């Protein structure tokens, strides 16, 4: 296995992104997560710029605070201005940031445009693979 300090986010990130907009209904956002078996959706504006993230954890909050099917939008429950990483950032640095902030998903951006996401599952897959393939 490579020295973790020499591994970049681009190697571990997932580039299949699921996005919603701030005015997407939370029910529709939940369907995106469930239909695609993912634990987060990136929230983008009309120009495709990252403005927030909505994760499965947020749905606990949604159920606790709102009436189901209350036609609430994503904007109310998303985490705005999420912590992000660049494709060439060190995986070790991103992991440290995730631990420090208690987060499980870090969008990977090029400027303000999301190009990927790195999650705790990606780290688990990296650590568990007997041999990490080259990108």
């Amino acid at each position: 296995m490579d020295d973790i300090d020499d591994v970049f986010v681009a190697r571990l990130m997932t580039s299949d992104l699921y996005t919603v907009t701030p005015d997407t209904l939370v029910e529709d956002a939940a369907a995106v997560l469930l239909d695609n078996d993912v634990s987060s959706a990136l929230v983008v504006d009309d120009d495709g710029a990252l403005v927030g993230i909505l994760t499965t954890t947020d749905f606990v909050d949604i159920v606790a605070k709102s009436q189901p099917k209350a036609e609430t939008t994503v904007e109310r429950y998303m985490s705005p201005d999420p912590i992000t990483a660049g494709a060439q950032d060190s995986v070790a640095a991103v992991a440290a940031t995730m631990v420090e902030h208690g987060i499980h998903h870090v969008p990977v951006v090029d400027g303000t445009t999301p190009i990927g996401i790195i999650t705790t599952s990606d780290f688990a897959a990296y650590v568990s693979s007997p041999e990490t393939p080259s990108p």
Side-chain angles (χ1 to χ4, degrees):
M1 188 176 289
D2 299 328
D3 182 344
I4 194 76
D5 291 327
D6 297 330
V7 178
F8 299 105
V9 167
R11 186 184 296 186
L12 270 62
M13 73 180 193
T14 302
S15 53
D16 288 339
L17 298 178
Y18 297 94
T19 60
V20 294
T21 59
D23 59 358
T24 300
L25 296 179
V26 291
E27 297 87 47
D28 295 336
V32 169
L33 269 58
L34 292 170
D35 291 348
N36 297 290
D37 193 26
V38 292
S39 57
S40 65
L42 299 182
V43 186
V44 296
D45 64 16
D46 292 338
D47 296 323
L50 181 71
V51 295
I53 188 170
L54 189 73
T55 71
T56 49
T57 307
D58 294 319
F59 284 93
V60 176
D61 205 27
I62 290 166
V63 170
K65 292 182 180 172
S66 73
Q67 298 297 316
K69 309 296 183 185
E71 299 204 350
T72 306
T73 60
V74 163
E75 190 167 29
R76 180 173 173 188
Y77 292 102
M78 71 181 190
S79 300
D81 303 317
I83 292 169
T84 60
Q88 298 306 310
D89 288 359
S90 154
V91 165
V94 174
T97 298
M98 291 169 83
V99 170
E100 179 184 345
H101 293 278
I103 56 176
H104 302 277
H105 304 82
V106 175
V108 182
V109 294
D110 181 1
T112 59
T113 304
I115 57 170
I117 188 163
I118 190 164
T119 70
T120 49
S121 299
D122 296 320
F123 286 102
Y126 173 73
V127 171
S128 69
S129 65
E131 186 176 348
T132 304
S134 296

